[in-house]
Amino acid sequence: MELLCKAPVLSCGARRGRGSGTGSPMGPLAGALGRWIYGAVKPPPPPRICGAPGGPPVTAPRVRLSDGRHLAYAESGARKEDARYMVVFSHGFTGSRHDTIRPSPEVAEELGVYMVGFDRAGYGESDPNPNRSVKSAALDVEELADALGLGPKFYVIGISLGCHAVWGALKYIPERIAGAAMMAPVVNYWWPGFPADLAAEVYNKQEVGDQWALRVSHYAPGILHWWMDQSWLPTSTVVAGTTPLPNKRDAEIRAKLKADGTFQQKMELATQQGIHESYYRDMMVMFGKWEFDPMSLPKPPCPVHIWQGDEDGLVPVVLQRHIASRLSWVNYHELPATGHFLSPVPGLGDTVLQTLFGNAKQ
């Protein structure tokens, strides 16, 4: 696969699985530039830990994990004591413990669905994890479920980039998962299961700044914080909230969030312990080098669903279709004239719960 970039400074001129393109006449210059950048880059500032001196206050309930970190959480739906089904939500990029698929309270109560969202590591009021990975995300979900007494099996629902925790759960703790749903799951263009030409084609359709942000996240994560902080370099339009959105509802939602200040408020809450520990670690984990390819996973012992809009301006629908074609055990639901923001789609939250639990055994 063509490695999705032509930037010798990041040694990205080779094909996937081959060398680093050292035969290029730009090789010595690239090496010199790379050494200069790494020498000039300052480490990101230390995080402002919630509850620590000088850090933000702790306002949410939290659980303590085996490594001493804390996860903040928020509950919704049926009372845990009365619930028949337990669901853990993994929020998306820029999100929080309060993010859900927005089912109506009546449907959640009728089906008996208890739901808990949590601030993923480094977000909101959850402690940062300097060793964050796809595996650690899955294990955080498991430890949260155990700390809250959700039983031997529970359901997981991921939103956007937060779906890496769902893929991780299917890989590392499949015996704990009763069912899984992923809402517009973000993809990693470097997953080996993607056809080389297709992945390169859709990658290069992104804004230039997003192409570079992903390149750095994948090839040089150690300089990501520095890169994103340089106004003269091309950086992520997703972080800035300026990505072109082809779907009308998506564009209207984002415009409203920016106009009324909600976009900025969500960012401040998500990054209050440091943007490196939240947004940038998300990018490094999601677009870095995975230990496994989701398209090589064996069939899990539970139903798995993916919902995807066909006008998604952030996740290429053609790549989602390819994943579904490779994994016959995935129940793929493509939504016409729908974009990336699925939680606000009228009635979809109820549909997801009814799909997961309407015919489930009691």
Side-chain angles (χ1 to χ4, degrees):
M1 168 183 177
E2 199 67 34
L3 278 184
L4 312 178
C5 66
K6 296 184 173 113
V9 69
L10 294 180
S11 298
C12 302
R15 289 185 177 272
R16 182 165 63 190
R18 299 183 182 178
S20 59
T22 53
S24 167
M26 292 295 289
L29 176 59
L33 281 172
R35 287 189 293 273
W36 177 83
I37 289 176
Y38 273 98
V41 168
K42 294 181 180 180
R48 300 173 59 246
I49 306 296
C50 282
V58 175
T59 64
R62 305 201 300 177
V63 299
R64 183 181 175 89
L65 306 182
S66 59
D67 63 2
R69 290 183 296 115
H70 297 85
L71 293 182
Y73 65 92
E75 300 168 296
S76 60
R79 291 196 330 140
K80 184 166 57 176
E81 296 78 6
D82 303 328
R84 296 190 292 275
Y85 309 108
M86 309 294 186
V87 176
V88 178
F89 282 109
S90 176
H91 67 76
F93 192 67
T94 77
S96 80
R97 63 187 180 274
H98 299 293
D99 293 353
T100 73
I101 54 172
R102 304 184 191 177
S104 65
E106 296 78 13
V107 169
E109 289 285 348
E110 178 185 352
L111 293 172
V113 182
Y114 162 87
M115 298 170 284
V116 58
F118 69 104
D119 291 335
R120 292 190 285 101
Y123 271 83
E125 296 183 24
S126 288
D127 293 338
N129 180 1
N131 300 311
R132 197 143 61 100
S133 66
V134 175
K135 185 174 184 178
S136 75
L139 297 183
D140 281 0
V141 169
E142 182 180 37
E143 283 207 60
L144 175 69
D146 288 343
L148 295 178
L150 303 191
K153 285 182 176 285
F154 51 89
Y155 291 79
V156 287
I157 297 178
I159 300 171
S160 188
L161 189 145
C163 291
H164 74 275
V166 180
W167 287 121
L170 295 174
K171 167 66 175 179
Y172 297 111
I173 55 169
E175 72 284 353
R176 300 297 309 276
I177 307 304
M182 290 179 268
M183 313 299 293
V186 172
V187 301
N188 183 317
Y189 294 88
W190 288 268
W191 285 340
F194 286 135
D197 294 343
L198 178 63
E201 177 186 353
V202 294
Y203 183 95
N204 290 320
K205 288 181 178 179
Q206 298 179 104
E207 296 295 294
V208 170
D210 296 307
Q211 293 182 42
W212 274 103
L214 268 59
R215 285 185 189 118
V216 177
S217 299
H218 186 81
Y219 293 107
I223 67 168
L224 180 62
H225 184 277
W226 173 85
W227 185 280
M228 294 292 292
D229 200 38
Q230 306 306 306
S231 60
W232 56 278
L233 289 174
T235 58
S236 171
T237 69
V238 179
V239 172
T242 58
T243 311
L245 298 175
N247 179 262
K248 182 180 178 181
R249 181 192 288 117
D250 277 3
E252 291 175 346
I253 288 172
R254 188 180 64 187
K256 181 179 179 181
L257 292 176
K258 298 191 81 170
D260 66 13
T262 302
F263 182 91
Q264 183 64 28
Q265 291 170 6
K266 284 173 64 69
M267 182 175 183
E268 291 173 358
L269 175 62
T271 65
Q272 64 179 349
Q273 298 183 90
I275 195 168
H276 181 74
E277 298 299 336
S278 47
Y279 286 13
Y280 300 163
R281 286 207 188 277
D282 253 5
M283 295 165 65
M284 290 186 285
V285 171
M286 183 67 235
F287 303 110
K289 298 174 176 65
W290 284 42
E291 295 180 347
F292 67 96
D293 179 357
M295 284 169 276
S296 296
L297 287 174
K299 182 179 180 179
C302 65
V304 177
H305 297 263
I306 289 177
W307 273 268
Q308 173 69 40
D310 69 351
E311 294 181 357
D312 193 325
L314 300 175
V315 179
V317 66
V318 293
L319 295 186
Q320 213 71 271
R321 290 168 181 164
H322 182 77
I323 292 172
S325 72
R326 288 285 304 273
L327 298 175
S328 60
W329 42 266
V330 164
N331 299 286
Y332 180 62
H333 312 269
E334 188 168 303
L335 307 174
T338 303
H340 185 72
F341 305 144
L342 299 188
S343 294
V345 174
L348 183 57
D350 289 349
T351 297
V352 172
L353 293 193
Q354 289 163 343
T355 300
L356 290 176
F357 310 118
N359 297 315
K361 294 181 180 179
Q362 300 293 321

